[in-house]
Amino acid sequence: MNANRALRRIFSTFAIGASMLATVQAQKLTFTLREHLIIGDDEEAPSEYLLHASDIVRTDSRGNIYVSDARSADVRVFDASGRYLTTVGKRGEGPGELWEVFGMHVDGNDRLIVADRMNRRLTIFTDMGKSFATKSLAEDGRTIAPKPILSLDNSFVLKYVKLFANPEGGPSIKDDRVLHTHDTDFNRLETFAQLGDIYDLDVPFLNAYSTSSRGMNVATNGTDTIVLAPVVYGGYIYRYTRSNDKWVMEKLKGGPVPTRAFIPVSKKDIVENQDIRRGSITRSGPTGTYRARILSRSNGVAILSTGEILHFPVRTPLKQDFEPRAELFNQNGDLAGYGQLQFDNPELNGNARVMESISIEWIDTADRLYLVRRNSKGFFVVSVANLEISSK
C-alpha cells in the first residue's frame, strides 16, 4: 500500500486457501483515529470557525474543506490546513441565498452543490460562490429532498424517497426506490435500491424511519459501487455494484450486534428516563408517531481506495456509555475484521460526550476520514483523522 495513504495497517494478513468455498475468518481488531486537524475547537476563535449544526463535510481537488452549517444556512470553506477561506451563501430566498442546507456536495469540477429543501431548488456554485446557477428540486411536480448527493462517473447519485398522494384518501404512498442517478445537469436517469431490502417495512417504526434523511448512510467509490448502511443497524450493510448496465445488490454481514437493534418506548419513558432519552428517535409516519430507543446504530460508511469498505456501528446500551466500533469488509464483501473504535488521545476516549457524538462524514482520495463530533465542552468540531488498524 502507498506509504502516503492515511489508512495504516499493522497486522499481518493470512492466506485464505485455494478452495473457492473458503471464507474469511474475521479478526478482532482495534481501529485508532489519529486526528491531525481540528476545526471549531476554540470557542474564542472568530465566528467563522465556530460550527453549530454541521452534518455534511466535503473536499475539493485542492484539499479545501467544505462544512455545512444548518443554523446559519451557509457553507464554510477552509483550506487543507484549517485556515478559513470564505463563506458561501447566507440565509434568504433570493438568488444565491439559502434557507436550508439540506444536502451538500462538491463535484469533480469543484462545483459546490446545495440542495435547499425550503427554497425547493438546487443551487450550484462555482469558484467558491462567485457565480451560481439554480435548478428546481421538483420531479413530476413533487419536491424531492436529496441527502446525500454523491458523484459517479459523469453523473451523480442522490438518495431520496418520493411520496405520492393516495387516490383513496389514505396515507401517502411511498416510491420504494431510494437511489437515483442524475446527469451532470441533474436530470434523472434511473432509480434503484428497494426500500424494503434495507428496512423491514412491516415494522411500524422502521417503516416510518426508513424515509428519514438520516435513515441510511451512503458511500460510493465514484464509479461502479455504492454502499448503504441503515442507521438502525441490525448487522447487515448493502453493496450495489454496476454490472451489465444493472445495479446488483449484495447483503454483507457485519460483526456481532445486539439481539435487538431498537426497543419501542413511550413519550413518558423518554421524558422520565435519561438512559432511554439518550439514543432515542421519534418519527411520525402516515399512521401515527413512533418512538424507539436505538440499541445499535450506524454512524457512517466509507469505501477505501483499495475497494475495501469501512463501516462504523455504535452499540448504545441502556446502562453504559456508547461503544463506537468499526468493521472492515474486504473487496469480496467478507467481514475481515471488527472491533473498538478509539482515538489515540486518552482524554477523548474517556469523554462520553465526545465518544457518543462521532459521525463519519467523508473520506478523501488519500483515505483520510473527516469526522463531525462534539468537543469536551459540547461544541461541534470537524476533524481530519488518519485511521490505524491493529491486531488486538
Side-chain angles (χ1 to χ4, degrees):
M1 177 173 292
N2 188 328
N4 293 323
R5 290 289 178 191
L7 180 67
R8 182 186 175 206
R9 293 183 178 86
I10 56 175
F11 63 91
S12 60
T13 57
F14 51 89
I16 296 175
S19 172
M20 293 295 290
L21 299 178
T23 58
V24 171
Q25 179 66 46
Q27 303 182 64
K28 290 187 177 180
L29 304 171
T30 297
F31 298 79
T32 302
L33 294 165
R34 299 188 179 276
E35 294 181 311
H36 59 84
L37 176 64
I38 300 176
I39 301 171
D41 199 31
D42 180 7
E43 60 269 28
E44 301 299 325
S47 61
E48 292 86 356
Y49 290 86
L50 302 181
L51 308 171
H52 301 286
S54 301
D55 66 348
I56 314 175
V57 180
R58 293 290 188 270
T59 53
D60 67 15
S61 64
R62 291 165 288 185
N64 297 319
I65 304 167
Y66 296 68
V67 182
S68 70
D69 195 299
R71 181 180 295 183
S72 54
D74 60 28
V75 177
R76 316 281 175 83
V77 187
F78 304 87
D79 68 14
S81 66
R83 181 175 61 92
Y84 170 77
L85 296 178
T86 190
T87 296
V88 180
K90 64 177 182 178
R91 189 176 299 280
E93 300 177 6
E97 296 178 335
L98 307 169
W99 196 260
E100 180 186 26
V101 182
F102 188 77
M104 185 265 283
H105 185 58
V106 178
D107 71 5
N109 295 315
D110 290 344
R111 299 188 304 170
L112 171 63
I113 301 154
V114 178
D116 187 337
R117 182 171 58 175
M118 297 300 292
N119 280 330
R120 297 184 174 87
R121 67 191 181 203
L122 287 166
T123 301
I124 303 166
F125 297 95
T126 54
D127 198 13
M128 291 191 185
K130 293 181 180 178
S131 59
F132 63 88
T134 60
K135 184 174 178 63
S136 172
L137 271 180
E139 280 190 0
D140 303 324
R142 300 172 178 84
T143 299
I144 62 174
K147 187 176 183 178
I149 303 168
L150 297 168
S151 293
L152 292 172
D153 279 341
N154 300 313
S155 62
F156 298 93
V157 60
L158 284 61
K159 194 217 91 179
Y160 59 85
V161 176
K162 291 193 292 186
L163 299 177
F164 297 84
N166 191 326
E168 299 180 359
S172 298
I173 300 172
K174 297 176 186 177
D175 180 338
D176 63 355
R177 293 161 294 181
V178 297
L179 296 180
H180 309 258
T181 56
H182 289 241
D183 64 20
T184 54
D185 293 322
F186 284 95
N187 300 304
R188 186 162 59 88
L189 300 173
E190 61 179 340
T191 64
F192 60 102
Q194 304 297 114
L195 194 61
D197 290 338
I198 314 301
Y199 278 114
D200 184 349
L201 301 183
D202 291 329
V203 177
F205 167 69
L206 295 180
N207 193 330
Y209 190 63
S210 65
T211 61
S212 166
S213 64
R214 300 180 182 273
M216 301 175 205
N217 292 310
V218 187
T220 177
N221 66 352
T223 54
D224 60 359
T225 302
I226 301 167
V227 176
L228 288 176
V231 168
V232 183
Y233 178 55
Y236 292 91
I237 64 174
Y238 302 82
R239 181 170 66 181
Y240 294 80
T241 305
R242 186 74 170 172
S243 177
N244 297 322
D245 295 327
K246 294 182 179 180
W247 290 96
V248 179
M249 187 198 79
E250 302 167 88
K251 188 175 180 180
L252 310 183
K253 182 172 176 55
V257 294
T259 304
R260 294 183 293 177
F262 73 95
I263 54 174
V265 296
S266 67
K267 183 177 180 180
K268 181 179 179 181
D269 291 333
I270 294 175
V271 171
E272 297 181 353
N273 190 323
Q274 173 63 30
D275 290 328
I276 288 178
R277 184 158 57 249
R278 292 172 66 213
S280 287
I281 293 174
T282 299
R283 181 69 180 172
S284 295
T287 57
T289 299
Y290 305 97
R291 302 174 180 86
R293 171 57 159 83
I294 306 304
L295 301 176
S296 176
R297 76 179 187 215
S298 168
N299 265 12
V301 64
I303 301 177
L304 298 171
S305 57
T306 59
E308 296 163 296
I309 299 167
L310 278 170
H311 178 233
F312 299 93
V314 180
R315 292 181 178 179
T316 61
L318 287 174
K319 298 292 184 180
Q320 299 170 251
D321 289 337
F322 289 9
E323 302 172 9
R325 301 171 69 81
E327 299 173 335
L328 177 68
F329 297 82
N330 65 20
Q331 295 175 359
N332 294 326
D334 299 310
L335 181 69
Y338 63 93
Q340 180 182 358
L341 179 68
Q342 62 185 19
F343 292 95
D344 63 334
N345 183 343
E347 291 185 7
L348 296 180
N349 293 329
N351 190 308
R353 173 183 284 170
V354 171
M355 298 307 290
E356 69 182 65
S357 68
I358 301 169
S359 179
I360 311 296
E361 296 297 332
W362 185 243
I363 187 170
D364 66 16
T365 55
D367 288 342
R368 288 182 290 257
L369 294 173
Y370 294 74
L371 326 175
V372 173
R373 62 168 178 83
R374 302 273 188 170
N375 65 10
S376 59
K377 296 183 179 179
F379 294 97
F380 280 95
V381 301
V382 170
S383 73
V384 186
N386 297 340
L387 183 66
E388 181 178 281
I389 304 175
S390 59
S391 300
K392 293 183 70 70

